[in-house]
Amino acid sequence: MTIRNTLFSSFSALAFAASGTAAFAECADPIKVGVLHSLSGTMAISETTLKDTMLMLIAQQNAAGGVLGCQIEAVVVDPASDWPLFAEKARELLTVHETDVIFGNWTSVSRKSVLPVIEELNGLLFYPVQYEGEESSRNVFYTGAAPNQQAIPAVDYFLEELGVEKFALLGTDYVYPRTTNNILEQYLTDNGIAADDIFVNYTPFGHSDWATIVADVMALGEDGKQVGVISTINGDANIGFYKELAAAGISADDIPVVAFSVGEEELSGLDTTNLVGHLAAWNYFMSADSGANTAFIESWQAFAGEDRVTNDPMEAHYIGFNMWVAAVEAAGTTDVDAVREAMYGQEFPNLTGGTAVMLPNHHLAKPVLIGEITADGQFDIISQTTEVPGDAWTDFLPDSAVLVSDWKDLGCGMYNTETETCVQLTSNY
Amino acid sequence: MRHVFLALIMLFGATLAASAQTLQPIIQSHVEEIASPSRNSVGVALDDLVASGLPQVTDFLEQWVEKNVWQSGDGTFFIAAETDNVLTLTDIDTGEQRTAPAEGFTQLKPNGGVRRVIGTALVQFQLSDPDLTRRETAVASIARRPEAAQMAPLLASIDGETDAALKTRKIQLANLLSARFAQTPTDRIAAIDSLATDTSVEVRAVLNQILSTSSGVALSEPDSNTAAIIDPFLEPDVSYATLVEAGLAPARQTAAEIKGALEANIVDGRIGGLPLVQMDNPDARVAAYGALAADGKVPELITESARDAALSSHLFFELYDEPNPDITQAAENALASVETRVAAAQTVDLTLDALSLASIFFLAAIGLAITFGVMGVINMAHGEFIMMGAYTGYVVQLFIPNYTVSILVALPLAFAVTFAAGVVMERLVIRRLYHRPLETLLATFGISIALQQIAKNVFGTQARPLTSPDWLAGAWIVNDVIQISFIRIAIFVMALIFLALIIYILKRTRLGLEVRAVTQNPGMASSMGINPNRINMMTFGLGSGIAGIAGVAIGLYAKVTSEMGSDYIVQSFMTVVVGGVGNVWGTLAGAAMIGFGQKGIEWLNPSNTLAAQTYMILFVILFIQFRPKGIVALKGRAAGD
Amino acid sequence: MERSFFAKNPSALWFLLGLSLFTIVVTILSEASGTALISTSFLKTLGKTLCLCLVAIAMDVVWGYCGILSLGHFAFFGIGGYAIGMWLMYARTAEIVVTSLENATLPPTPDEITNAIGGQIFGVVGSSDFPVIWAFSHSLTLQLLAVVLVPGLLALVFGWLAFRSRVTGVYLSILTQAMTLALSLYFFQNDTGLRGNNGLSGLQNIPGLEAQSQATVSLWLFWASAVALGAGYVLFAWIVSGKLGSVIRAIRDNEARVRFLGYHVEGYKLFVFTITAIVAGIAGALYYPQAGIINPAEIAPIASIYLAVWVAIGGRGRLYGAVIGAAVVSLMSSWFTGGGAPDINLGFYVINWTDWWLVLLGLTFVAVTLFFPKGIGGLFDLLQKRKGDAP
C-alpha cells in the first residue's frame, strides 16, 4: 500500500481533504468519497459546480461530526471531459484511492464509460443528472430524473394545460435526446397525436445556424394546430436557438418551448427578456419557496460566491449524499453491499418540499416542477406535481414496457415480467 | 342597429351589477377553479365572472393574467404587488389599499393555457377599449384562438378603430373568421377567395381547417363530401389497421401473440404435434400455429393474402368535415394558389438563409483569404483571432452598458487587438518560417491551443453573452415565410463591405501594390525599395484584424466561447481552398458554394443537420481532387509554383 | 539477411531490446504476477501508450520520411478501434442474450436472437434494428480483416485521388484534415449506426475471457501492444532503410526531381500512405480494448494534430524519435492534467497545471518548431557528435 502510493503518487490524482485532515483517532482508515466530475474541457462549466457542491456537503457533514464518527475525506479527480478517462479515473478511485463511494458524471456517455469498471470492482456511484433511463445498474443510484420524471410530465402539461396539438422535438444529436424523443414519440402517438404532427430534428453540439429550423417550426402552424416545442438542445447551442426565437418574434403565447437541459446556470449566459414565458421542466428550481431551499442557497452562496445560482443536479447530489450518509449510519459500515441494502426506502426532504424516497430500482421518487422563464434569469414555478417514482425502464416503448428493475426483492435490474427471468445482472453499456 | 343592441346589453349588465353586490362572492363561488385553474375547467368560472357584468371583472382578469392576484389564508383574493416580502393589497371591489407581510398569502400563477382562455374572455371588453395596447392584446387573442362568437364584436369594433394598422389587422382577422364562421356559403366563399393571395400561416391554418378530413372505410362510397379515395395497397398494414378499427376485419396476430398462443398450447413437449425443439425455426412455428388453428384452439392465422383480400373488398376514403362541396372546392383552389406562393416564398427564404450562411463563412474566411490566400501563410490560430475579437466585444460590453455604443467601440477595438496579436505573431513566429509552410502550420497550431486554453482560464468555459443592440434584435419580416434576422443582414452587409474594402486595398492602394509585389517576387520587390518585412507584417496584421471584427459579428449572432474558433477553422480553410487560393473573389465563390450547398442538402434532409455538414465536406474534398486550384483558378505566372 | 538488417539499423536492435526489457519489468511488477507494484489502471495506461507509440511511428514514416503531413492518421486509428469494437460489443452482448434466452419456453428463432442483441446494443440510442454496417460484426475474422482493410482502402482511395491530382504540401494537410472532420461527423451521426456520440463501450470485457480478471486481460493486451509495436518498428525500419527508403526520402526533399528521374512518385506515396494507415488501424484495434470505450470525439481533427505534435517534439525522420515523443508527451499530459504536477504560486496568481498544461504544451511546441526542428531525438545527434568529436 505505502510502496504503491509512493511509487505512483506522481501519477495519482490530486487528493485533498475537504476540511483539514482532522481525522479522529479511532478512524485509522478514513472514509473516502470520490468526486468524479470534469474540472477541465467542455463539461467543466457544468461539472465544476457539482464538485464544489460535493465539497460543501462534505464540509458540512464533517462539521456535523462526519459519518460513523469519522471525518470524510474527499478525493477529487479530473476526468477532463474525456470519456475514456472517466473509466480510467473511476478505476483509480476504486483501486488506488480505495474510495467508499463515488459521486460523479454528467453526460450519459461518461456514465456508460464508467459502468463496466464500477460493476467489475463492485463500487458505488451516485449519478445526479436527468437522463434517458433504460438502465439500472446494481452499483449506481440515479438521483437525477428519469424520463417519466421530467419529459412525460412536461408533455402532459403541453397536452392538457396548453392544448398543444403539434409537436416539434428539437434535440442535440446524442443519446439523451435520441432516447427521450423516441419515448416521447411513442407516448404522443399513444395519446392520439398523428405521426405527421410530430416534427423531429437533430443538430450537432454547439450548433449556431438556427434560422431554417426556427422557420420550419413556425411553418408547422399552417394547419391551424397549436404548436409546441420540446427542446433537448444541449449547452451552448441553446444560446443561438433562443436568440433566433427572439429575433423571429416567437412568444411563449404563440409557440411555447419547454426545455429539459436549460437551467439557471445556462440562462446566465443569455439575455432572458425576450424569453419570458418559455418553459423548463426539472425536479428543482432555485426559486422554490421553502425553508430548506433558502438555507441551501445561503450556504452555497457563502461557500462558492454571492452571485452563484443553484440548479437541479445540485439538489440531486444534496439528496444523494445525505441519503448515503444515512444509509452508512444505518448499515454501520461503508461496505458497498450493506450500504446498498440500507439505501432502499431511505427518505430525505426535498428542497422543494415533500420527501424523496429511494426506490428498489435505484431511482428516486421526486416531484416534477414546471417553471416559466422570468426576465431576471430565474424560473417562476407554475406547476408542481406530487412525488413521481422514477422508472428505470419506460412503459412507453414495447421492448422496455415488460422490463422492471428491483434490486431489493428480485435482485435484478433488468427483469422481464413476461418471461419472469432476469435478462442480465450487469447493465447495458 | 348592432351598436344599439350592444349598448342595451351593457346597460342590462350594469343594472345586474348594481343588484348583485360585489365580485368577491362570485369569485369565491369558484375558489377552486381560480386558485388552481386548468385550461379545460376554468371556462365555467370565467363565464360566470363575465356574465356578472361587473366593471371590476376586466381589471381582475387582467391582473390575474399578470400574476398580480394573491389569495390570503382565509381564501379572499386581492390584487397585490410585492416588494421585499411586503404586499400592497388592493381590494377587488372597493379598491381599498393596505399593506401586509407576504407570509400567508399565495400568488396565483395561471399557466399559459389558462392565460390564453382568459385572454379570449377579455376580448369583448378590450376590443373597443380606449387603450391601444389593450385593443392589440384583444386582437392577438382572437388570432390565437379564433371562435365563431368573436365575429360579431370584432366586426362591431372595426368602424370605431382609430389606429390604422390595427384596423387593417382587424379587417384581416374578420375576413379569416368569416371564411370559417360566416352564416351564408356565399359569404364564406367570398372570404375564402379573398385569401388566395395571402401566404401567412394564419391563412393556411384557416384553409386547412376548412379542409380538415376524416378517413373512413366502407363497402361502397358514402354519399357525402368526399375528399379522396385511397389506394389501400400503398400502405397495406396501415389500411388494414383502419379496417380492424372499424370492426370490419379481425386483427392480425402479432409475432408476440403467435408466440404466446404457442406457449399456451404445449402438450407433452409438443405443439400442434411438432416437437418443442423445432420451434427455433420460424416456419415450424407457423406450421404449429396452423395445426393449432385446425384444431380450433386458436383463431385462424390471417396471412398476407387474407389481408389483401379484405383490403380489396373495401373502399378507403377521406371525407371533408365540411359538408358543402362548393366551400371545400373554393378552399382547395385558394389553398393551391397559396401553396404555390408559399413554395416560391420558401425558395426565396432558403436562398436568403443560404446567402446568410455564405456570408458568415465568408466573414470567417476573409481574413484567411489574405493571410493564406495572398501571402500563402497557413495560420491555424486564425480561429482564435476570431475568438479574441468576440471576447473583446464581451469585455467592452462589461464596461459600456449601452449596446449600440459598445458595438461601435468593440468593432475597431477588436480590429486593433487582433491586428496587434497578428503583428506580434508574424514577427515572433511566422517570419522565421516563411519557407517551411508545414512547420508554420504546426507552430501556429501550437499557438492556437495555447490561446484557446488561455481564453478558457481567463473567461471560463461557459458561453459569454454578447448582446446586440435593440435595433439589430428583430427580424426583417416580408411575410410569414420570408424573414431574416437583422443581425444576419448586418453580417451580410459587413461581408460586402469587407469584400469591397479588401479589393480596394489590394487593387487601388500603394499598400496593395506592394503586397502583390512582395507575394509575387520578394527579391525584386525589395530591390525596388519595398521593405518586404514591413509589408508582410502589415498584411498579416490586416488579415488578423479582420478576423477580430468577424469575431464580434459571429459572437453577436451565435455565442462567445473559447472553442468558437475551432468551429470555423476547418471550414474557413476549405472555403479559401475550394474558392481558389490567391484571389478574394475565389473566397467569395467558395463561401457561396459551401453556404448554398449546405442549405441545399439540409433542405433535402431537414431532420439531420449534421448529415448536411458531413456531405458538404465530402463534396468539397472530391471537388478539390478534380479541380485542385479551386473555382477561381489563377492562370499563368501569378499561379506561382 | 537478418544480421545485415540489424547491422544497418542498430537502433532497431536497441529498440527491440529495450522494449523486451520494459515488457518483462512491467510484467513482473503487474498485479497479475502478484507483486502489484503497478496498478491495473496504470498498466492500461502503459499499454495504451505503446499503441500510441505505434501510430506515432506510422505518422513519422508518412510525415518525417515521406513529407506528407497527414492530419488524418488518427482517424485511421479510430476506424481500427471501431472495427474491433463492433465485434467486441456484438460477441459480448450475444453471450448475454443467448444465456438469458435459454430459459425461454420456446427455443428462440435466429431473428429473435438478432433482435434481442440489437435491442441491447442500440437500445441506448433508441433503436433496435441492426444497421447494415454491422453485417459482419458476428465474425471476429471478418472484423479483424476490417481493421486492416477499411483504413487501408480508405487511405488508398483518398491517396489515389489526392496524389493523382498533385495535391501537395499544406493543401494536402488541409484536405486530410477535412477528411478527418467528415469522418468524425459521420461517426457522430446517430443514423450511421455506430451509436453516435455514445460510441462503443465496455470494450475492456473481452468475450470468452470473462473468467480472467482485468489485471490478467490488461497484461495480455499490454503484451500484444508490445509485440505490435516491436513488429511495426522493424517493418518501418526495414521500409525506410532500403532503396525504397531512399526514394521516399528523396520525394520528401524534392518531389519534382524524383519524378524527373523516372520514378513513379505517386505510387511510392500511395504505398507509404496506405501502409501507415493500416498500421494506424491495427494500433487503434489494440488501443481501444484497453481504453474501454471509443466514440467520435476520439477521431476529431485535433487528435490527428496532436499526433503530429508528438512526432515533432520527439524528432521527425527517426523512428525512435516518434516513440519518445508519443510516450513522453502523452504520459506528461496525463501527469499534468491528472493533478500530479505541483501548483506554482507566483504570489499574485497560482498556476494550476490542470488549467495551464495546454498552454505550456502549445508554447513548447512552438519553441520546438522554431528552435529545435529535430526535437528530442536531436539530442541524440548532439551526443553522438560530441562522442565523435572527442579525441
Side-chain angles (χ1 to χ4, degrees):
Chain A
M1 181 68 201
T2 42
I3 299 174
R4 197 197 293 167
N5 274 352
T6 41
L7 190 52
F8 295 109
S9 59
S10 52
F11 285 100
S12 68
L14 172 72
F16 63 93
S19 61
T21 41
F24 294 164
E26 64 268 30
C27 294
D29 197 12
I31 290 177
K32 285 184 175 176
V33 171
V35 180
L36 185 64
H37 283 300
S38 300
L39 310 179
S40 51
T42 51
M43 292 310 297
I45 180 63
S46 306
E47 294 197 60
T48 310
T49 311
L50 292 186
K51 185 253 321 178
D52 291 338
T53 309
M54 283 314 297
L55 294 185
M56 176 184 85
L57 290 170
I58 290 168
Q60 284 176 350
Q61 192 62 38
N62 281 339
V67 63
L68 295 179
C70 301
Q71 292 283 292
I72 304 170
E73 186 185 314
V75 184
V76 180
V77 291
D78 176 20
S81 312
D82 177 3
W83 319 138
L85 202 56
F86 268 91
E88 202 176 306
K89 293 290 174 189
R91 185 178 292 278
E92 194 180 291
L93 280 177
L94 290 172
T95 58
V96 180
H97 301 293
E98 296 175 333
T99 55
D100 299 296
V101 62
I102 298 173
F103 287 80
N105 295 63
W106 183 289
T107 59
S108 281
V109 53
S110 71
R111 188 188 69 251
K112 298 274 183 200
S113 169
V114 163
L115 269 177
V117 176
I118 301 267
E119 290 186 354
E120 173 204 335
L121 301 169
N122 195 21
L124 193 58
L125 172 72
F126 280 77
Y127 176 67
V129 183
Q130 102 278 18
Y131 83 120
E132 67 282 354
E134 304 300 284
E135 179 184 303
S136 177
S137 169
R138 192 166 59 107
N139 302 82
V140 181
F141 284 100
Y142 306 83
T143 50
N148 74 319
Q149 291 174 303
Q150 188 187 25
I152 299 283
V155 169
D156 281 340
Y157 181 82
F158 261 40
L159 287 169
E160 284 156 26
E161 295 300 330
L162 301 187
V164 173
E165 300 152 300
K166 209 166 181 181
F167 287 81
L169 311 181
L170 306 183
T172 300
D173 196 354
Y174 73 108
V175 56
Y176 170 67
R178 285 269 173 188
T179 315
T180 308
N181 286 348
N182 227 28
I183 294 171
L184 291 185
E185 269 184 79
Q186 187 63 45
Y187 183 73
L188 289 172
T189 317
D190 294 348
N191 277 283
I193 303 288
D196 290 343
D197 290 341
I198 305 173
F199 169 82
V200 185
N201 176 279
Y202 293 106
T203 39
F205 280 101
H207 188 65
S208 53
D209 184 37
W210 288 98
T212 316
I213 294 164
V214 168
D216 286 348
V217 170
M218 281 180 76
L220 289 180
E222 67 174 4
D223 51 6
K225 292 177 176 158
Q226 173 68 46
V227 180
V229 177
I230 309 270
S231 154
T232 38
I233 300 164
N234 178 285
D236 298 346
N238 277 302
I239 295 176
F241 174 63
Y242 283 114
K243 274 188 181 177
E244 196 70 49
L245 269 188
I250 296 181
S251 79
D253 291 331
D254 300 319
I255 301 181
V257 178
V258 65
F260 300 155
S261 304
V262 175
E264 289 83 353
E265 195 92 55
E266 285 74 15
L267 286 188
S268 59
L270 273 170
D271 174 16
T272 55
T273 42
N274 288 323
L275 305 174
V276 171
H278 285 301
L279 306 147
W282 290 101
N283 300 122
Y284 169 85
F285 284 115
M286 188 176 176
S287 60
D289 192 16
S290 82
N293 189 34
T294 316
F296 181 71
I297 294 171
E298 261 169 27
S299 53
W300 169 244
Q301 290 181 337
F303 183 86
E306 272 309 306
D307 52 345
R308 295 294 295 271
V309 292
T310 56
N311 61 19
D312 177 278
M314 285 172 62
E315 192 217 18
H317 260 344
Y318 166 80
I319 296 174
F321 178 74
N322 282 300
M323 279 190 173
W324 175 78
V325 168
V328 169
E329 294 284 0
T333 166
T334 56
D335 176 69
V336 167
D337 289 312
V339 172
R340 204 161 51 77
E341 292 295 333
M343 277 299 290
Y344 306 129
Q346 280 293 342
E347 292 187 358
F348 196 80
N350 288 312
L351 291 176
T352 54
T355 308
V357 186
M358 182 51 78
L359 307 170
N361 65 2
H362 285 204
H363 288 68
L364 286 174
K366 291 204 289 190
V368 185
L369 282 63
I370 291 172
E372 286 182 351
I373 297 176
T374 59
D376 59 352
Q378 284 287 330
F379 291 91
D380 195 1
I381 301 166
I382 49 159
S383 157
Q384 176 159 6
T385 67
T386 52
E387 285 84 349
V388 178
D391 190 8
W393 302 97
T394 180
D395 297 335
F396 305 106
L397 294 177
D399 284 345
S400 309
V402 297
L403 298 172
V404 294
S405 161
D406 183 349
W407 289 104
K408 192 181 175 192
D409 299 321
L410 296 172
C412 177
M414 195 179 180
Y415 184 85
N416 190 324
T417 49
E418 244 174 30
T419 60
E420 299 187 351
T421 47
C422 186
V423 179
Q424 63 182 72
L425 280 169
T426 53
S427 48
N428 274 347
Y429 29 78
Chain B
M1 181 63 212
R2 196 177 275 137
H3 292 268
V4 179
F5 181 62
L6 271 177
L8 271 177
I9 293 183
M10 296 299 268
L11 204 69
F12 186 53
T15 31
L16 255 184
S19 56
Q21 340 78 18
T22 45
L23 185 58
Q24 189 74 260
I26 308 175
I27 302 177
Q28 287 302 329
S29 66
H30 294 287
V31 68
E32 271 304 303
E33 282 95 339
I34 296 201
S36 50
S38 163
R39 180 177 63 98
N40 296 318
S41 59
V42 78
V44 190
L46 281 178
D47 286 348
D48 266 12
L49 291 182
V50 172
S52 76
L54 288 170
Q56 308 91 299
V57 170
T58 326
D59 189 41
F60 174 74
L61 292 183
E62 281 174 358
Q63 297 297 339
W64 190 16
V65 168
E66 297 295 323
K67 299 181 186 170
N68 286 335
V69 172
W70 293 65
Q71 189 182 21
S72 73
D74 63 1
T76 323
F77 293 96
F78 292 94
I79 293 166
E82 187 195 9
T83 33
D84 296 330
N85 256 339
V86 175
L87 289 175
T88 314
L89 299 169
T90 312
D91 189 277
I92 289 173
D93 290 305
T94 62
E96 195 181 307
Q97 290 204 336
R98 66 185 170 95
T99 52
E103 293 292 312
F105 285 85
T106 33
Q107 188 183 8
L108 300 195
K109 293 176 181 170
N111 64 44
V114 173
R115 292 201 299 264
R116 208 176 303 147
V117 179
I118 302 176
T120 309
L122 274 170
V123 163
Q124 49 174 311
F125 302 111
Q126 294 178 326
L127 262 180
S128 305
D129 196 280
D131 182 12
L132 178 64
T133 344
R134 286 216 172 105
R135 296 204 302 276
E136 280 171 347
T137 317
V139 169
S141 288
I142 298 181
R144 261 174 222 133
R145 291 180 79 230
E147 283 175 5
Q150 292 159 339
M151 230 175 104
L154 179 64
L155 285 172
S157 76
I158 289 177
D159 283 341
E161 180 56 59
T162 48
D163 185 81
L166 194 59
K167 189 165 185 173
T168 327
R169 177 72 178 138
K170 279 183 172 177
I171 293 170
Q172 194 185 12
L173 266 182
N175 213 9
L176 289 176
L177 285 174
S178 12
R180 282 181 67 193
F181 304 120
Q183 298 292 333
T184 63
T186 341
D187 284 355
R188 291 188 63 186
I189 292 174
I192 289 170
D193 287 344
S194 72
L195 298 178
T197 53
D198 196 334
T199 51
S200 70
V201 171
E202 279 173 349
V203 165
R204 279 178 276 158
V206 165
L207 293 175
N208 277 311
Q209 273 167 338
I210 294 173
L211 290 172
S212 66
T213 59
S214 40
S215 57
V217 59
L219 287 169
S220 62
E221 192 178 337
D223 181 31
S224 47
N225 193 1
T226 316
I229 304 287
I230 302 161
D231 176 11
F233 293 99
L234 289 178
E235 279 174 299
D237 286 325
V238 177
S239 303
Y240 192 80
T242 351
L243 213 52
V244 174
E245 229 170 83
L248 295 169
R252 290 190 81 186
Q253 296 87 347
T254 62
E257 280 166 0
I258 296 177
K259 199 175 156 198
L262 293 177
E263 281 170 348
N265 285 292
I266 302 174
V267 183
D268 301 333
R270 299 178 88 81
I271 304 171
L274 291 164
L276 196 53
V277 284
Q278 283 181 14
M279 289 301 135
D280 57 354
N281 181 349
D283 294 336
R285 288 192 180 185
V286 172
Y289 191 88
L292 290 176
D295 291 349
K297 286 179 180 156
V298 292
E300 198 69 44
L301 186 70
I302 295 167
T303 57
E304 221 155 87
S305 56
R307 178 198 70 190
D308 291 352
L311 289 182
S312 42
S313 63
H314 287 86
L315 196 65
F316 294 78
F317 48 79
E318 279 189 349
L319 298 181
Y320 287 119
D321 297 332
E322 167 64 51
N324 187 336
D326 293 337
I327 290 176
T328 50
Q329 191 53 49
E332 285 287 1
N333 292 343
L335 189 61
S337 145
V338 168
E339 294 289 351
T340 326
R341 282 158 207 273
V342 168
Q346 271 170 343
T347 318
V348 175
D349 188 52
L350 197 69
T351 315
L352 281 182
D353 281 353
L355 261 181
S356 159
L357 190 64
S359 61
I360 290 164
F361 285 148
F362 180 72
L363 203 56
I366 188 164
L368 270 189
I370 302 173
T371 54
F372 177 50
V374 179
M375 295 171 70
V377 173
I378 290 269
N379 178 14
M380 295 301 278
H382 181 78
E384 276 57 47
F385 287 159
I386 294 180
M387 171 198 79
M388 282 167 76
Y391 273 116
T392 309
Y394 163 70
V395 172
V396 168
Q397 285 202 339
L398 288 184
F399 291 102
I400 305 177
N402 182 317
Y403 290 145
T404 308
V405 178
S406 67
I407 295 300
L408 291 180
V409 174
L411 287 173
L413 195 64
F415 183 87
V417 167
T418 45
F419 181 91
V423 167
V424 170
M425 194 166 116
E426 203 273 344
R427 297 215 69 147
L428 291 182
V429 179
I430 292 171
R431 179 165 299 182
R432 301 161 193 271
L433 297 171
Y434 266 122
H435 300 289
R436 290 147 66 190
L438 287 183
E439 267 129 283
T440 319
L441 190 161
L442 290 172
T444 52
F445 171 71
I447 295 171
S448 152
I449 347 182
L451 283 178
Q452 215 179 92
Q453 188 60 41
I454 290 173
K456 272 189 191 132
N457 295 349
V458 174
F459 296 102
T461 42
Q462 188 178 23
R464 294 290 163 186
L466 183 53
T467 314
S468 49
D470 283 339
W471 50 273
L472 270 181
W476 178 50
I477 298 172
V478 178
N479 56 34
D480 275 3
V481 183
I482 307 176
Q483 44 181 286
I484 185 160
S485 56
F486 288 132
I487 186 76
R488 285 168 180 267
I489 299 178
I491 289 180
F492 181 74
V493 172
M494 206 184 247
L496 287 185
I497 293 174
F498 279 123
L499 178 67
L501 191 72
I502 286 169
I503 299 276
Y504 175 77
I505 290 178
L506 285 181
K507 299 273 154 115
R508 291 275 184 276
T509 63
R510 175 86 196 170
L511 176 69
L513 183 72
E514 291 180 354
V515 167
R516 282 180 291 145
V518 170
T519 7
Q520 281 175 20
N521 193 333
M524 185 69 85
S526 77
S527 63
M528 300 300 284
I530 300 171
N531 179 352
N533 284 341
R534 193 185 70 89
I535 290 300
N536 278 332
M537 200 172 78
M538 292 297 289
T539 321
F540 197 82
L542 180 68
S544 311
I546 288 174
I549 295 187
V552 177
I554 290 171
L556 278 176
Y557 114 98
K559 61 196 165 157
V560 185
T561 67
S562 57
E563 278 158 14
M564 64 185 286
S566 42
D567 291 349
Y568 289 95
I569 187 72
V570 181
Q571 296 256 9
S572 298
F573 271 109
M574 303 231 302
T575 308
V576 176
V577 172
V578 85
V581 174
N583 192 322
V584 182
W585 292 109
T587 307
L588 185 67
M593 191 178 102
I594 295 182
F596 277 84
Q598 194 155 314
K599 280 293 162 191
I601 303 173
E602 257 176 47
W603 178 72
L604 293 174
N605 179 9
S607 67
N608 194 337
T609 318
L610 206 52
Q613 293 183 4
T614 317
Y615 295 127
M616 195 58 225
I617 297 171
L618 276 184
F619 174 76
V620 168
I621 293 175
L622 281 176
F623 185 88
I624 294 172
Q625 312 281 14
F626 292 102
R627 209 180 152 86
K629 298 258 181 239
I631 303 173
V632 184
L634 291 185
K635 297 204 174 58
R637 296 176 93 171
D641 58 15
Chain C
M1 186 67 204
E2 187 80 346
R3 187 181 294 161
S4 74
F5 169 74
F6 282 117
K8 261 201 286 184
N9 293 283
S11 81
L13 191 62
W14 285 113
F15 180 79
L16 285 185
L17 277 176
L19 185 64
S20 318
L21 194 68
F22 177 68
T23 312
I24 291 166
V25 170
V26 169
T27 308
I28 292 172
L29 297 180
S30 76
E31 274 183 36
S33 73
T35 47
L37 288 170
I38 289 182
S39 69
T40 301
S41 60
F42 189 57
L43 177 64
K44 281 175 188 277
T45 307
L46 291 177
K48 286 189 289 183
T49 308
L50 292 184
C51 299
L52 295 179
C53 292
L54 180 57
V55 66
I57 53 176
M59 179 70 191
D60 192 18
V61 171
V62 78
W63 177 33
Y65 286 89
C66 196
I68 306 169
L69 176 53
S70 161
L71 298 179
H73 269 60
F74 218 81
F76 298 130
F77 182 84
I79 292 174
Y82 265 103
I84 198 69
M86 284 158 81
W87 175 76
L88 287 169
M89 280 217 80
Y90 184 94
R92 189 189 77 228
T93 318
E95 272 179 33
I96 297 171
V97 165
V98 170
T99 327
S100 81
L101 285 177
E102 258 169 16
N103 352 359
T105 331
L106 294 185
T109 62
D111 265 3
E112 282 175 347
I113 295 181
T114 320
N115 284 341
I117 298 174
Q120 292 262 314
I121 296 181
F122 302 106
V124 297
V125 285
S127 159
S128 64
D129 301 329
F130 261 100
V132 189
I133 203 167
W134 287 71
F136 305 118
S137 57
H138 58 275
S139 156
L140 176 58
T141 328
L142 289 177
Q143 288 297 140
L144 282 178
L145 217 57
V147 167
V148 177
L149 284 184
V150 178
L153 280 176
L154 188 65
L156 195 68
V157 171
F158 181 88
W160 181 74
L161 282 170
F163 301 143
R164 187 193 61 102
S165 328
R166 304 265 169 91
V167 179
T168 52
V170 288
Y171 297 92
L172 187 64
S173 301
I174 291 171
L175 216 53
T176 50
Q177 193 179 24
M179 177 197 76
T180 313
L181 181 64
L183 270 175
S184 72
L185 288 179
Y186 175 74
F187 279 108
F188 195 87
Q189 286 172 49
N190 224 67
D191 298 344
T192 308
L194 290 165
R195 310 213 312 172
N197 175 55
N198 253 43
L200 311 177
S201 52
L203 306 184
Q204 65 267 61
N205 298 354
I206 316 285
L209 299 180
E210 286 88 353
Q212 308 296 329
S213 72
Q214 276 295 313
T216 318
V217 173
S218 304
L219 188 62
W220 290 351
L221 283 169
F222 175 82
W223 288 343
S225 309
V227 170
L229 178 59
Y233 196 97
V234 171
L235 170 75
F236 285 128
W238 176 74
I239 287 179
V240 299
S241 63
K243 179 173 172 243
L244 181 60
S246 311
V247 179
I248 291 170
R249 273 194 298 272
I251 291 174
R252 172 190 67 190
D253 295 336
N254 195 328
E255 187 173 329
R257 207 168 285 176
V258 178
R259 188 173 287 123
F260 296 149
L261 286 173
Y263 285 98
H264 185 53
V265 171
E266 281 69 38
Y268 284 96
K269 281 163 84 172
L270 199 54
F271 168 74
V272 173
F273 195 68
T274 309
I275 189 111
T276 50
I278 290 174
V279 171
I282 294 171
L286 283 166
Y287 179 91
Y288 287 103
Q290 303 182 64
I293 175 170
I294 178 165
N295 58 48
E298 297 285 301
I299 53 178
I302 190 99
S304 290
I305 301 186
Y306 275 122
L307 185 57
V309 171
W310 297 340
V311 174
I313 289 184
R316 272 171 294 163
R318 58 192 87 216
L319 295 177
Y320 60 88
V323 172
I324 293 170
V328 168
V329 180
S330 71
L331 287 177
M332 290 252 288
S333 274
S334 56
W335 185 60
F336 274 106
T337 56
D343 293 353
I344 296 177
N345 194 337
L346 299 178
F348 59 94
Y349 186 84
V350 179
I351 293 185
N352 175 349
W353 285 115
T354 316
D355 291 336
W356 287 93
W357 155 246
L358 274 180
V359 180
L360 178 71
L361 178 67
L363 296 181
T364 311
F365 183 52
V366 177
V368 167
T369 322
L370 285 179
F371 306 114
F372 317 100
K374 288 180 174 173
I376 301 175
L379 295 176
F380 289 84
D381 283 1
L382 285 179
L383 281 177
Q384 236 156 20
K385 205 168 164 200
R386 198 159 293 163
K387 226 188 273 171
D389 287 348

